[in-house]
Coordinates of all heavy atoms in Angstrom, one line a residue:
M1 N 4.3 -13.5 11.5 CA 3.2 -14.0 12.2 C 2.1 -12.9 12.4 O 2.5 -11.8 12.9 CB 3.6 -14.6 13.5 CG 2.5 -15.2 14.4 SD 3.1 -16.7 15.0 CE 1.9 -17.8 15.0
P2 N 0.9 -13.1 12.1 CA -0.1 -12.0 12.3 C -0.3 -11.7 13.8 O -0.2 -12.6 14.6 CB -1.4 -12.6 11.7 CG -1.2 -14.1 11.6 CD 0.3 -14.3 11.6
I3 N -0.6 -10.4 14.0 CA -0.9 -9.9 15.4 C -2.4 -9.9 15.5 O -3.1 -9.2 14.8 CB -0.3 -8.6 15.6 CG1 1.3 -8.6 15.3 CG2 -0.6 -8.0 17.0 CD1 1.9 -7.3 15.2
I4 N -2.9 -10.7 16.4 CA -4.4 -10.8 16.6 C -4.7 -10.4 18.0 O -4.1 -10.9 19.0 CB -4.8 -12.3 16.3 CG1 -4.4 -12.7 14.9 CG2 -6.3 -12.4 16.5 CD1 -4.6 -14.2 14.6
K5 N -5.7 -9.6 18.1 CA -6.2 -9.1 19.4 C -7.7 -9.1 19.4 O -8.4 -8.9 18.3 CB -5.7 -7.6 19.6 CG -4.2 -7.4 19.6 CD -3.7 -7.7 20.9 CE -2.2 -7.3 20.9 NZ -1.6 -7.7 22.2
P6 N -8.3 -9.2 20.6 CA -9.8 -9.1 20.6 C -10.2 -7.6 20.4 O -9.4 -6.7 20.7 CB -10.1 -9.5 22.1 CG -8.9 -9.4 22.8 CD -7.7 -9.5 21.9
I7 N -11.4 -7.4 19.9 CA -11.8 -6.0 19.5 C -11.9 -5.1 20.8 O -11.7 -3.9 20.7 CB -13.1 -6.0 18.7 CG1 -13.3 -4.7 18.0 CG2 -14.3 -6.3 19.6 CD1 -14.2 -4.7 16.9
S8 N -12.1 -5.7 21.9 CA -12.1 -4.9 23.2 C -10.8 -4.2 23.4 O -10.7 -3.2 24.1 CB -12.5 -5.8 24.4 OG -11.5 -6.8 24.5
S9 N -9.7 -4.7 22.8 CA -8.4 -4.1 23.0 C -8.4 -2.7 22.3 O -7.6 -1.9 22.7 CB -7.3 -5.0 22.3 OG -7.2 -6.2 23.0
L10 N -9.2 -2.6 21.3 CA -9.2 -1.3 20.6 C -9.7 -0.2 21.6 O -9.2 0.9 21.6 CB -10.1 -1.4 19.4 CG -10.1 -0.2 18.4 CD1 -8.7 0.1 17.9 CD2 -11.0 -0.4 17.3
R11 N -10.7 -0.5 22.4 CA -11.2 0.4 23.4 C -10.3 0.5 24.6 O -10.0 1.7 25.0 CB -12.6 -0.1 23.8 CG -13.3 0.8 24.9 CD -14.6 0.3 25.4 NE -14.3 -1.0 26.1 CZ -15.0 -2.1 25.8 NH1 -15.9 -2.2 24.9 NH2 -14.7 -3.2 26.5
N12 N -9.8 -0.6 25.1 CA -9.0 -0.6 26.3 C -7.6 -0.3 26.2 O -6.9 0.2 27.1 CB -9.2 -1.9 27.1 CG -10.7 -2.2 27.4 OD1 -11.5 -1.3 27.6 ND2 -11.1 -3.4 27.3
K13 N -7.0 -0.6 25.0 CA -5.6 -0.5 24.8 C -5.2 0.1 23.4 O -4.4 -0.4 22.7 CB -4.9 -1.9 24.9 CG -5.1 -2.6 26.3 CD -4.5 -3.9 26.3 CE -4.8 -4.6 27.6 NZ -4.2 -5.9 27.7
A14 N -5.9 1.1 23.1 CA -5.8 1.8 21.8 C -4.3 2.2 21.6 O -3.8 2.0 20.5 CB -6.7 3.0 21.6
R15 N -3.7 2.8 22.6 CA -2.3 3.3 22.4 C -1.4 2.1 22.2 O -0.5 2.2 21.4 CB -1.9 4.1 23.7 CG -0.5 4.6 23.7 CD -0.1 5.6 22.7 NE -0.9 6.3 21.9 CZ -0.7 6.5 20.5 NH1 0.4 6.1 20.0 NH2 -1.5 7.2 19.8
E16 N -1.6 1.0 22.9 CA -0.7 -0.2 22.7 C -0.9 -0.7 21.2 O 0.1 -1.0 20.6 CB -1.2 -1.3 23.6 CG -0.4 -2.6 23.5 CD -0.9 -3.7 24.4 OE1 -1.3 -3.4 25.5 OE2 -1.0 -4.8 23.9
I17 N -2.1 -0.7 20.7 CA -2.3 -1.2 19.3 C -1.6 -0.2 18.3 O -1.0 -0.7 17.4 CB -3.8 -1.4 19.0 CG1 -4.3 -2.6 19.8 CG2 -4.1 -1.5 17.5 CD1 -5.8 -2.8 19.7
A18 N -1.8 1.1 18.6 CA -1.1 2.1 17.7 C 0.4 1.9 17.7 O 1.1 2.0 16.7 CB -1.5 3.5 18.1
T19 N 1.0 1.6 18.9 CA 2.4 1.4 19.0 C 2.8 0.2 18.2 O 3.8 0.3 17.5 CB 2.8 1.3 20.5 OG1 2.4 2.5 21.2 CG2 4.3 1.1 20.7
I20 N 2.1 -0.9 18.3 CA 2.4 -2.1 17.6 C 2.4 -1.8 16.1 O 3.3 -2.1 15.3 CB 1.4 -3.2 17.9 CG1 1.6 -3.7 19.3 CG2 1.6 -4.4 16.9 CD1 0.5 -4.7 19.8
C21 N 1.4 -1.1 15.6 CA 1.2 -0.8 14.2 C 2.4 0.1 13.7 O 2.9 -0.1 12.6 CB -0.1 0.0 13.9 SG -1.6 -1.0 14.1
H22 N 2.8 1.1 14.5 CA 3.9 1.9 14.1 C 5.3 1.3 14.2 O 6.1 1.4 13.3 CB 3.9 3.3 14.8 CG 2.7 4.1 14.4 ND1 2.7 4.8 13.3 CD2 1.5 4.4 15.1 CE1 1.5 5.4 13.2 NE2 0.8 5.2 14.3
E23 N 5.6 0.7 15.4 CA 6.9 0.2 15.6 C 7.2 -1.1 14.8 O 8.3 -1.3 14.4 CB 7.1 -0.1 17.1 CG 7.2 1.2 17.9 CD 7.4 0.9 19.4 OE1 7.4 -0.2 19.8 OE2 7.5 1.9 20.1
Q24 N 6.2 -2.0 14.7 CA 6.4 -3.2 14.0 C 6.0 -3.1 12.5 O 6.3 -4.0 11.7 CB 5.7 -4.4 14.7 CG 6.2 -4.7 16.1 CD 5.5 -5.8 16.7 OE1 5.0 -6.7 16.0 NE2 5.4 -5.9 18.0
D25 N 5.4 -2.0 12.1 CA 4.9 -1.8 10.8 C 4.1 -2.9 10.3 O 4.3 -3.4 9.1 CB 6.1 -1.5 9.8 CG 5.7 -0.9 8.5 OD1 4.6 -0.2 8.5 OD2 6.3 -1.1 7.5
E26 N 3.3 -3.4 11.1 CA 2.4 -4.6 10.8 C 0.9 -4.2 11.1 O 0.7 -3.5 12.1 CB 2.8 -5.8 11.6 CG 4.1 -6.4 11.2 CD 4.1 -7.1 9.9 OE1 3.0 -7.6 9.5 OE2 5.1 -7.2 9.2
P27 N 0.0 -4.7 10.4 CA -1.4 -4.5 10.8 C -1.7 -5.4 12.0 O -1.1 -6.4 12.2 CB -2.2 -5.0 9.5 CG -1.3 -5.9 8.8 CD 0.1 -5.5 9.1
V28 N -2.8 -5.0 12.7 CA -3.3 -5.7 13.9 C -4.7 -6.2 13.5 O -5.5 -5.4 13.1 CB -3.3 -4.9 15.2 CG1 -4.0 -5.7 16.3 CG2 -1.9 -4.5 15.5
Y29 N -4.9 -7.5 13.6 CA -6.2 -8.1 13.3 C -7.0 -8.1 14.5 O -6.6 -8.7 15.5 CB -6.0 -9.5 12.7 CG -5.2 -9.5 11.4 CD1 -3.9 -9.5 11.4 CD2 -5.9 -9.4 10.2 CE1 -3.2 -9.5 10.2 CE2 -5.2 -9.4 9.0 CZ -3.8 -9.4 9.0 OH -3.1 -9.4 7.8
L30 N -8.2 -7.6 14.5 CA -9.1 -7.6 15.6 C -10.2 -8.6 15.4 O -10.8 -8.7 14.3 CB -9.7 -6.2 15.8 CG -8.7 -5.1 16.0 CD1 -9.4 -3.7 16.1 CD2 -7.9 -5.3 17.3
T31 N -10.6 -9.3 16.5 CA -11.6 -10.4 16.4 C -12.8 -10.0 17.3 O -12.7 -9.3 18.3 CB -11.0 -11.7 16.8 OG1 -10.6 -11.6 18.2 CG2 -9.8 -12.2 16.0
T32 N -13.9 -10.5 16.9 CA -15.2 -10.4 17.7 C -15.7 -11.9 17.8 O -15.9 -12.6 16.8 CB -16.2 -9.6 16.9 OG1 -15.7 -8.3 16.8 CG2 -17.5 -9.5 17.8
N33 N -15.8 -12.3 19.1 CA -16.2 -13.7 19.4 C -15.3 -14.7 18.6 O -15.8 -15.7 18.1 CB -17.7 -13.9 19.0 CG -18.6 -13.0 19.9 OD1 -18.3 -12.7 21.0 ND2 -19.6 -12.5 19.2
G34 N -14.0 -14.4 18.6 CA -13.1 -15.4 17.9 C -13.1 -15.4 16.4 O -12.3 -16.1 15.8
Q35 N -13.9 -14.5 15.8 CA -13.9 -14.4 14.4 C -13.3 -13.1 13.9 O -13.4 -12.1 14.6 CB -15.4 -14.5 13.8 CG -16.1 -15.7 14.2 CD -15.5 -16.9 13.5 OE1 -15.3 -16.9 12.3 NE2 -15.3 -18.0 14.2
G36 N -12.5 -13.1 12.8 CA -11.9 -11.9 12.2 C -13.0 -10.9 12.0 O -14.1 -11.2 11.5
D37 N -12.7 -9.6 12.3 CA -13.7 -8.5 12.2 C -13.0 -7.3 11.5 O -13.6 -6.8 10.5 CB -14.2 -8.2 13.5 CG -15.4 -7.2 13.4 OD1 -16.1 -7.2 12.4 OD2 -15.7 -6.5 14.4
L38 N -11.9 -6.8 12.0 CA -11.3 -5.6 11.5 C -9.8 -5.7 11.4 O -9.2 -6.6 12.1 CB -11.6 -4.4 12.4 CG -13.1 -4.0 12.6 CD1 -13.2 -3.0 13.8 CD2 -13.7 -3.5 11.4
V39 N -9.2 -4.9 10.6 CA -7.7 -4.7 10.6 C -7.4 -3.3 10.8 O -8.0 -2.4 10.3 CB -7.2 -5.2 9.2 CG1 -5.7 -5.0 9.1 CG2 -7.6 -6.6 8.9
V40 N -6.4 -3.1 11.7 CA -6.0 -1.7 12.0 C -4.5 -1.6 11.6 O -3.7 -2.6 11.9 CB -6.1 -1.4 13.6 CG1 -5.6 -0.1 13.9 CG2 -7.5 -1.6 14.0
M41 N -4.1 -0.5 10.9 CA -2.8 -0.4 10.5 C -2.4 1.1 10.5 O -3.3 2.0 10.5 CB -2.5 -1.0 9.1 CG -3.3 -0.3 8.0 SD -3.1 -1.2 6.4 CE -4.1 -2.6 6.7
S42 N -1.1 1.4 10.5 CA -0.7 2.8 10.4 C -1.1 3.4 9.0 O -1.2 2.7 8.0 CB 0.8 2.9 10.6 OG 1.5 2.4 9.5
I43 N -1.2 4.7 9.0 CA -1.4 5.4 7.7 C -0.3 5.1 6.7 O -0.6 4.8 5.5 CB -1.6 6.9 7.9 CG1 -2.9 7.1 8.7 CG2 -1.6 7.6 6.6 CD1 -3.1 8.6 9.1
E44 N 0.9 5.1 7.2 CA 2.0 4.8 6.3 C 1.9 3.4 5.6 O 2.1 3.2 4.4 CB 3.4 4.9 7.0 CG 3.7 6.3 7.5 CD 3.0 6.7 8.8 OE1 2.5 5.8 9.5 OE2 3.0 7.9 9.1
H45 N 1.6 2.5 6.5 CA 1.4 1.1 6.0 C 0.3 1.0 4.9 O 0.4 0.4 3.9 CB 1.1 0.1 7.1 CG 1.2 -1.3 6.8 ND1 2.4 -2.1 6.9 CD2 0.3 -2.2 6.2 CE1 2.1 -3.3 6.5 NE2 0.9 -3.4 6.1
Y46 N -0.8 1.7 5.3 CA -2.0 1.7 4.4 C -1.6 2.4 3.0 O -2.0 1.8 2.0 CB -3.2 2.4 5.0 CG -4.3 2.6 4.1 CD1 -5.2 1.6 3.7 CD2 -4.6 3.9 3.5 CE1 -6.2 1.8 2.8 CE2 -5.6 4.1 2.6 CZ -6.4 3.0 2.3 OH -7.4 3.2 1.4
E47 N -1.0 3.5 3.1 CA -0.6 4.2 1.8 C 0.3 3.4 1.0 O 0.2 3.3 -0.3 CB 0.1 5.6 2.2 CG -0.9 6.6 2.8 CD -2.0 7.0 1.8 OE1 -1.8 6.9 0.6 OE2 -3.1 7.4 2.3
R48 N 1.2 2.7 1.6 CA 2.2 1.8 0.9 C 1.4 0.6 0.2 O 1.6 0.3 -0.9 CB 3.2 1.2 1.8 CG 4.5 0.9 1.2 CD 5.7 0.7 2.2 NE 5.3 -0.1 3.4 CZ 5.2 0.3 4.6 NH1 5.5 1.6 4.9 NH2 4.9 -0.5 5.6
L49 N 0.5 0.0 1.0 CA -0.4 -1.0 0.5 C -1.2 -0.6 -0.7 O -1.3 -1.3 -1.7 CB -1.3 -1.6 1.6 CG -2.0 -2.8 1.4 CD1 -1.1 -4.0 1.2 CD2 -2.9 -3.1 2.6
K50 N -1.8 0.6 -0.6 CA -2.6 1.2 -1.6 C -1.7 1.5 -2.9 O -2.2 1.2 -4.0 CB -3.2 2.5 -1.1 CG -4.2 3.1 -2.0 CD -4.9 4.3 -1.3 CE -5.1 5.4 -2.2 NZ -5.6 6.6 -1.6
A51 N -0.5 2.0 -2.7 CA 0.4 2.3 -3.8 C 0.7 1.0 -4.6 O 0.8 0.9 -5.8 CB 1.6 3.0 -3.4
H52 N 1.0 -0.1 -3.8 CA 1.3 -1.4 -4.4 C 0.1 -1.9 -5.3 O 0.3 -2.4 -6.4 CB 1.7 -2.4 -3.4 CG 3.1 -2.3 -2.8 ND1 3.3 -2.4 -1.5 CD2 4.2 -2.0 -3.4 CE1 4.6 -2.2 -1.3 NE2 5.2 -1.9 -2.4
G53 N -1.1 -1.8 -4.7 CA -2.3 -2.2 -5.4 C -2.4 -1.4 -6.7 O -2.7 -2.0 -7.8
E54 N -2.2 -0.1 -6.7 CA -2.3 0.7 -7.9 C -1.2 0.3 -8.9 O -1.5 0.3 -10.1 CB -2.2 2.2 -7.6 CG -3.4 2.7 -6.8 CD -3.2 4.1 -6.2 OE1 -2.1 4.7 -6.4 OE2 -4.2 4.6 -5.6
L55 N 0.0 0.0 -8.5 CA 1.0 -0.4 -9.4 C 0.7 -1.7 -10.0 O 0.8 -1.8 -11.3 CB 2.4 -0.5 -8.6 CG 3.5 -1.1 -9.4 CD1 3.9 -0.1 -10.6 CD2 4.7 -1.2 -8.5
F56 N 0.2 -2.7 -9.2 CA -0.1 -4.0 -9.8 C -1.3 -3.8 -10.8 O -1.3 -4.5 -11.8 CB -0.5 -5.0 -8.7 CG 0.8 -5.4 -8.0 CD1 0.7 -5.5 -6.6 CD2 1.9 -5.8 -8.6 CE1 1.9 -5.9 -5.9 CE2 3.0 -6.3 -7.9 CZ 3.0 -6.3 -6.5
E57 N -2.2 -2.9 -10.5 CA -3.3 -2.7 -11.5 C -2.8 -2.2 -12.8 O -3.2 -2.6 -13.9 CB -4.3 -1.7 -10.9 CG -5.5 -1.5 -11.7 CD -6.5 -0.6 -11.0 OE1 -6.6 -0.5 -9.8 OE2 -7.2 0.1 -11.8
K58 N -1.8 -1.2 -12.7 CA -1.3 -0.6 -13.9 C -0.4 -1.7 -14.7 O -0.5 -1.7 -15.9 CB -0.4 0.6 -13.6 CG -1.2 1.8 -13.2 CD -0.3 2.9 -12.8 CE -1.2 4.1 -12.3 NZ -0.3 5.2 -11.8
L59 N 0.3 -2.5 -14.0 CA 1.1 -3.6 -14.6 C 0.1 -4.6 -15.3 O 0.5 -5.1 -16.4 CB 1.9 -4.3 -13.6 CG 3.1 -3.5 -13.1 CD1 3.8 -4.2 -11.9 CD2 4.1 -3.2 -14.2
G60 N -1.0 -4.9 -14.7 CA -2.0 -5.8 -15.3 C -2.5 -5.2 -16.6 O -2.7 -5.9 -17.6
V61 N -2.8 -3.9 -16.6 CA -3.3 -3.3 -17.8 C -2.2 -3.3 -18.9 O -2.5 -3.7 -20.1 CB -3.7 -1.8 -17.6 CG1 -3.9 -1.0 -18.9 CG2 -4.9 -1.8 -16.7
A62 N -1.0 -3.0 -18.5 CA 0.1 -3.1 -19.5 C 0.3 -4.5 -20.1 O 0.6 -4.7 -21.3 CB 1.4 -2.6 -18.9
Q63 N 0.2 -5.5 -19.2 CA 0.4 -6.8 -19.6 C -0.7 -7.3 -20.6 O -0.5 -7.9 -21.6 CB 0.4 -7.8 -18.4 CG 0.8 -9.2 -18.7 CD 1.0 -10.0 -17.5 OE1 0.4 -9.8 -16.4 NE2 1.9 -11.0 -17.5
A64 N -1.9 -6.8 -20.3 CA -3.1 -7.1 -21.2 C -2.9 -6.5 -22.5 O -3.2 -7.0 -23.6 CB -4.4 -6.7 -20.5
Q65 N -2.4 -5.2 -22.5 CA -2.2 -4.5 -23.8 C -1.1 -5.2 -24.6 O -1.2 -5.3 -25.8 CB -1.8 -3.0 -23.5 CG -2.9 -2.2 -23.0 CD -2.5 -0.8 -22.5 OE1 -1.3 -0.6 -22.2 NE2 -3.4 0.1 -22.4
S66 N 0.0 -5.6 -23.9 CA 1.0 -6.3 -24.6 C 0.5 -7.6 -25.2 O 0.9 -8.0 -26.3 CB 2.2 -6.6 -23.6 OG 3.2 -7.3 -24.2
A67 N -0.3 -8.4 -24.4 CA -0.8 -9.6 -24.9 C -1.7 -9.4 -26.1 O -1.8 -10.3 -27.0 CB -1.5 -10.4 -23.8
A68 N -2.4 -8.3 -26.2 CA -3.3 -8.0 -27.3 C -2.5 -7.5 -28.5 O -3.1 -7.2 -29.5 CB -4.3 -7.0 -26.8
G69 N -1.2 -7.3 -28.4 CA -0.4 -6.9 -29.5 C -0.3 -5.4 -29.6 O 0.3 -4.9 -30.6
E70 N -0.7 -4.7 -28.6 CA -0.6 -3.2 -28.7 C 0.9 -2.8 -28.5 O 1.6 -3.4 -27.6 CB -1.4 -2.5 -27.6 CG -2.9 -2.7 -27.8 CD -3.7 -2.0 -26.8 OE1 -3.3 -0.9 -26.3 OE2 -4.8 -2.5 -26.4
R71 N 1.3 -1.9 -29.2 CA 2.7 -1.4 -29.1 C 2.8 -0.3 -28.1 O 2.0 0.6 -28.1 CB 3.2 -1.0 -30.5 CG 3.2 -2.1 -31.4 CD 4.4 -2.1 -32.4 NE 5.5 -1.5 -31.8 CZ 6.7 -1.6 -32.3 NH1 6.9 -2.4 -33.3 NH2 7.8 -1.0 -31.8
G72 N 3.8 -0.3 -27.3 CA 4.1 0.7 -26.3 C 5.1 1.7 -26.9 O 5.2 1.9 -28.1
I73 N 5.7 2.4 -26.0 CA 6.8 3.4 -26.4 C 8.1 2.8 -25.9 O 8.2 2.0 -25.0 CB 6.5 4.8 -25.8 CG1 6.5 4.8 -24.3 CG2 5.2 5.3 -26.4 CD1 6.4 6.2 -23.7
T74 N 9.2 3.3 -26.5 CA 10.5 2.9 -26.1 C 10.9 3.5 -24.8 O 10.3 4.5 -24.3 CB 11.5 3.3 -27.2 OG1 11.7 4.7 -27.2 CG2 11.2 2.7 -28.5
H75 N 11.9 3.0 -24.2 CA 12.5 3.6 -22.9 C 12.9 5.0 -23.2 O 12.6 5.9 -22.4 CB 13.7 2.7 -22.5 CG 14.3 3.2 -21.2 ND1 15.4 4.0 -21.2 CD2 13.9 3.0 -19.9 CE1 15.7 4.3 -20.0 NE2 14.9 3.7 -19.2
A76 N 13.6 5.3 -24.3 CA 14.1 6.6 -24.6 C 12.9 7.6 -24.7 O 13.0 8.7 -24.2 CB 14.9 6.6 -25.9
Q77 N 11.8 7.2 -25.4 CA 10.7 8.0 -25.5 C 10.0 8.4 -24.1 O 9.7 9.5 -23.8 CB 9.6 7.4 -26.4 CG 10.0 7.3 -27.8 CD 9.0 6.4 -28.6 OE1 8.5 5.4 -28.1 NE2 8.8 6.8 -29.9
M78 N 10.0 7.4 -23.3 CA 9.4 7.6 -21.9 C 10.3 8.5 -21.1 O 9.8 9.4 -20.4 CB 9.3 6.3 -21.2 CG 8.7 6.4 -19.8 SD 7.2 7.4 -19.6 CE 6.0 6.2 -20.1
M79 N 11.6 8.4 -21.2 CA 12.5 9.2 -20.5 C 12.4 10.7 -21.0 O 12.4 11.6 -20.1 CB 14.0 8.7 -20.6 CG 14.2 7.4 -19.9 SD 13.8 7.4 -18.2 CE 15.0 8.5 -17.5
R80 N 12.2 10.9 -22.3 CA 12.0 12.3 -22.8 C 10.7 12.9 -22.2 O 10.7 14.0 -21.8 CB 11.9 12.3 -24.3 CG 13.3 12.3 -25.0 CD 13.2 12.6 -26.4 NE 12.5 11.6 -27.2 CZ 13.1 10.5 -27.7 NH1 14.3 10.2 -27.4 NH2 12.4 9.6 -28.4
R81 N 9.7 12.1 -22.1 CA 8.4 12.6 -21.6 C 8.5 12.9 -20.1 O 8.0 13.9 -19.6 CB 7.3 11.5 -21.7 CG 6.8 11.3 -23.1 CD 5.6 10.3 -23.1 NE 5.2 10.0 -24.4 CZ 4.2 9.2 -24.7 NH1 3.6 8.6 -23.8 NH2 3.9 8.9 -26.0
L82 N 9.2 12.1 -19.4 CA 9.4 12.3 -17.9 C 10.3 13.6 -17.7 O 10.0 14.3 -16.8 CB 10.0 11.1 -17.3 CG 9.1 9.9 -17.2 CD1 9.9 8.7 -16.6 CD2 7.9 10.2 -16.3
R83 N 11.3 13.7 -18.5 CA 12.2 14.9 -18.3 C 11.5 16.2 -18.6 O 11.8 17.2 -18.0 CB 13.4 14.8 -19.2 CG 14.4 13.7 -18.7 CD 15.8 13.8 -19.5 NE 16.6 12.8 -18.9 CZ 16.9 11.6 -19.5 NH1 16.3 11.3 -20.7 NH2 17.7 10.7 -18.9
K84 N 10.5 16.2 -19.5 CA 9.7 17.3 -19.8 C 8.9 17.8 -18.6 O 8.6 19.0 -18.5 CB 8.8 17.1 -21.0 CG 9.5 17.1 -22.3 CD 8.5 16.9 -23.5 CE 9.2 16.7 -24.8 NZ 8.3 16.5 -25.9
R85 N 8.5 16.8 -17.8 CA 7.7 17.1 -16.6 C 8.5 17.7 -15.5 O 7.9 18.3 -14.6 CB 7.0 15.9 -16.1 CG 5.9 15.4 -17.0 CD 5.3 14.2 -16.4 NE 4.1 13.7 -17.1 CZ 3.3 12.8 -16.8 NH1 3.5 12.2 -15.6 NH2 2.3 12.5 -17.5
L86 N 9.8 17.5 -15.5 CA 10.7 18.0 -14.4 C 10.8 19.5 -14.5 O 10.9 20.1 -15.6 CB 12.1 17.4 -14.5 CG 12.1 15.9 -14.2 CD1 13.6 15.4 -14.4 CD2 11.7 15.6 -12.7
P87 N 10.8 20.2 -13.3 CA 11.0 21.6 -13.3 C 12.4 22.0 -13.8 O 13.4 21.2 -13.6 CB 10.8 22.0 -11.9 CG 11.0 20.8 -11.1 CD 10.7 19.6 -12.0
E88 N 12.5 23.1 -14.5 CA 13.8 23.6 -15.0 C 14.7 24.0 -13.8 O 14.2 24.5 -12.8 CB 13.6 24.8 -15.9 CG 12.8 24.5 -17.1 CD 13.6 23.6 -18.1 OE1 14.8 23.7 -18.2 OE2 12.9 22.8 -18.8
K89 N 16.0 23.7 -14.0 CA 16.9 24.1 -12.9 C 17.5 25.5 -13.1 O 17.6 26.0 -14.1 CB 18.1 23.1 -12.9 CG 17.7 21.8 -12.4 CD 18.9 20.9 -12.3 CE 18.5 19.5 -11.8 NZ 19.6 18.6 -11.7

């Protein structure tokens, strides 16, 4: 269930909103005159959301390339490339 607060809460109860964002790991929706206005979330939540968006964008490109008949690389080839990037032990 979304957490909805009036925008005045940001001024008057900023610490409470921050606690909700961190402890419940949920964004808080702020309203002005009963209408949605802003969303506040923890940096961790934002970074995770951003990473998911980037992943879905890359998957969309890969899916379009596959639909266009472009050939990719095999799993073994990818693993070799990734291992080359790892630091030597």
Side-chain angles (χ1 to χ4, degrees):
M1 178 139 222
I3 303 164
I4 302 170
K5 302 273 185 184
I7 199 158
S8 60
S9 296
L10 190 57
R11 180 184 62 233
N12 301 327
K13 299 179 182 179
R15 179 62 12 223
E16 177 185 321
I17 290 174
T19 300
I20 291 169
C21 290
H22 289 287
E23 289 180 359
Q24 296 184 26
D25 194 29
E26 290 289 332
V28 174
Y29 298 86
L30 300 175
T31 61
T32 300
N33 297 325
Q35 300 293 315
D37 190 23
L38 299 171
V39 177
V40 179
M41 63 185 77
S42 69
I43 290 175
E44 293 83 12
H45 190 94
Y46 173 75
E47 292 295 334
R48 208 169 42 250
L49 191 64
K50 190 172 140 187
H52 283 138
E54 290 169 359
L55 174 62
F56 288 132
E57 185 177 329
K58 289 176 183 179
L59 288 172
V61 169
Q63 190 173 28
Q65 289 172 338
S66 176
E70 293 181 36
R71 296 217 28 162
I73 62 173
T74 67
H75 180 266
Q77 291 169 324
M78 178 54 78
M79 292 306 292
R80 278 194 293 279
R81 287 184 187 181
L82 291 173
R83 285 189 182 104
K84 286 180 184 178
R85 290 183 173 188
L86 291 174
E88 297 292 326
K89 289 184 180 182

